[in-house]
Amino acid sequence: MWLTNSSIGRKLIMSITGACLILFLTFHVLMNAVAIVWPTAYNTICQLLGANWYALVASMGLAALFVLHIVYAFILTLQNRKARGNDRYNVTTLPPHVEWSSNNMLVLGIVVVAFLVVHMIQFWAKMQLVEALSHDPATWALVDGAAANPAMGTLFIHAAFSEVWTPIVYIIGFVALWFHMNHGFWSMFQTAGWNNDTWLPRLKKVACWWTTIVVGLFTIQAVWFTIQAKSGEYLNNPELQKQYFESCVEVLQHDQEAFQGKMMDIQLSEATEDVKMQQVQDLQREIEAKTMVLTNAIKVFCKDLPQVKALIKQEEQQAAMQNEVVEPEIESEPDSDLDSEVNEVEPQN
C-alpha cells in the first residue's frame, strides 16, 4: 500500500496520528482544568469516563494511535539514517533553517513516552484498568492506607502529587512535549502540502502559541495539584468528603443487593444442605471483607462528616470497653476494685 510503503505515506500517517494526539492533549488539559475550578465535577467526569464500553473503545483507539505514531517514528528515523549513511556524522552545525527539535524528534518522543508511562501507572492503571478488571473493593489501589474508589480521580491526584518527584518528572516531560508537539504541529501541515512561503510561517506561529498554551496549562496544573496535595485539600474538602462517602455507600448498596441475589440462588439450588451452608458461610465472609474495606475507606476519606465522626467515636468507645474487660483477666491478682468495675461493665455488653 502507498500509505505504508512510501516515505510520504508514512509521514502522512505520522501527521494524522499526531493531529489526533494533539486534540486529545487539548481535551485532557481542559479536563484537568475542571479539577482546579470544580473538583467534584472532575470526579463526576472520571466516573462517566470509567469502565463504560464507549470509554474503553476510545481508550483502545487512543492506544492504537500512540502505537502507530511510535512505530512509524522509528521506521522513518531508520529510513532517514539509512538514506544518509555516514554523511550524518560529517554534520557539525545545523543549517539556519533546520530546528534543533527537528533533528531530535525521536529522542524527544522517547522522553514523552517515558513520562506517559509514569502518568499511566499513577492514574489509568489505578482507575479505568481496575474498574475494567474487577468491581471488588479489595482490588482498589490504596491511598493513605485506604482503598480508593477508581472513579474518584481527586484521590489519585492527591496520591500522585504528594510524592516529591512527581512534579519534577512531569515538568521534564512537559518540556520535551513542548519541543516535540511544537515541531510536529506545523510539520504535519507541511506534509499535507501547506508548505508555501505564505502559510508555513503562519502555521509555525499557530503551532508555537497552541503548544505553549496547552503545555503551559499542564505545567500550571501540575504545580497547583502539588500545592493542593501537600496541603491535604483533596482529603479535607467537605464537598469531596461527601462525594467519597456517597460513592462508597453506592458500592456498598450494590454489593448488598448482589449478596441477597446470591443468597437466593443458593437457597433455590439443588445442592445438599451441607454444601449450601458452606456456600452461605463463604458468601458471608466475602461480603464482610468488602464491607470492612469500604468502612475503612469511609473512615479515612470522610472522617470530618458528622455520621462518620459518630461511627468512629462509637468504635472507640466499644474498643475502650473491651479493653476494660480484658485487662483484669491479664493480671494475675486483680484488685477487688477492678473486679467490681468489670462486673459493672459486663451487663452493659
Side-chain angles (χ1 to χ4, degrees), residues 137-167:
T139 63
W140 291 357
L142 297 181
V143 175
D144 280 21
N149 190 329
M152 299 294 103
T154 49
L155 288 176
F156 297 97
I157 291 177
H158 170 81
F161 288 92
S162 293
E163 302 288 345
V164 176
W165 56 267
T166 296

Side-chain angles (χ1 to χ4, degrees), residues 30-261:
L30 294 175
M31 179 177 168
N32 285 354
V34 177
I36 293 178
V37 299
W38 197 356
T40 54
Y42 174 78
N43 285 336
T44 302
I45 295 173
C46 290
Q47 194 168 17
L48 179 66
L49 299 177
N52 302 301
W53 68 267
Y54 47 85
L56 292 173
V57 170
S59 297
M60 289 186 288
L62 185 62
L65 290 174
F66 269 113
V67 171
L68 277 175
H69 196 75
I70 293 169
V71 168
Y72 275 85
F74 276 103
I75 291 174
L76 287 171
T77 301
L78 293 174
Q79 183 183 32
N80 291 339
R81 290 191 175 186
K82 183 178 179 180
R84 292 172 59 187
N86 295 328
D87 291 343
R88 69 180 186 272
Y89 298 109
N90 298 327
V91 178
T92 57
T93 59
L94 292 176
H97 64 280
V98 177
E99 297 178 353
W100 175 85
S101 56
S102 176
N103 276 9
N104 293 276
M105 286 295 281
L106 182 62
V107 175
L108 291 169
I110 291 172
V111 175
V112 172
V113 169
F115 157 68
L116 176 66
V117 170
V118 173
H119 182 65
M120 292 184 68
I121 290 173
Q122 288 182 319
F123 290 94
W124 179 80
K126 296 178 180 178
M127 297 175 68
Q128 190 180 65
L129 181 61
V130 169
E131 283 189 280
L133 295 179
S134 173
H135 296 289
D136 187 354
T139 63
W140 291 357
L142 297 181
V143 175
D144 280 21
N149 190 329
M152 299 294 103
T154 49
L155 288 176
F156 297 97
I157 291 177
H158 170 81
F161 288 92
S162 293
E163 302 288 345
V164 176
W165 56 267
T166 296
I168 299 173
V169 170
Y170 274 53
I171 290 173
I172 293 173
F174 293 151
V175 171
L177 179 64
W178 187 91
F179 282 105
H180 190 85
M181 184 174 164
N182 181 46
H183 176 78
F185 192 104
W186 64 261
S187 64
M188 67 184 180
F189 289 102
Q190 185 183 43
T191 301
W194 292 21
N195 57 349
N196 57 63
D197 295 336
T198 301
W199 275 103
L200 195 58
R202 294 176 182 177
L203 290 171
K204 286 187 176 183
K205 289 181 180 179
V206 172
C208 184
W209 276 104
W210 190 286
T211 303
T212 301
I213 291 172
V214 170
V215 175
L217 286 174
F218 272 129
T219 305
I220 292 170
Q221 289 164 0
V223 173
W224 176 267
F225 292 154
T226 301
I227 294 171
Q228 296 294 84
K230 294 293 185 181
S231 66
E233 172 66 17
Y234 299 116
L235 296 182
N236 300 324
N237 185 298
E239 294 301 318
L240 286 175
Q241 288 197 15
K242 290 179 183 178
Q243 196 174 37
Y244 301 152
F245 181 80
E246 291 171 358
S247 69
C248 287
V249 169
E250 183 179 352
V251 174
L252 187 59
Q253 290 175 344
H254 178 271
D255 288 343
Q256 291 287 353
E257 292 174 1
F259 171 76
Q260 296 297 333

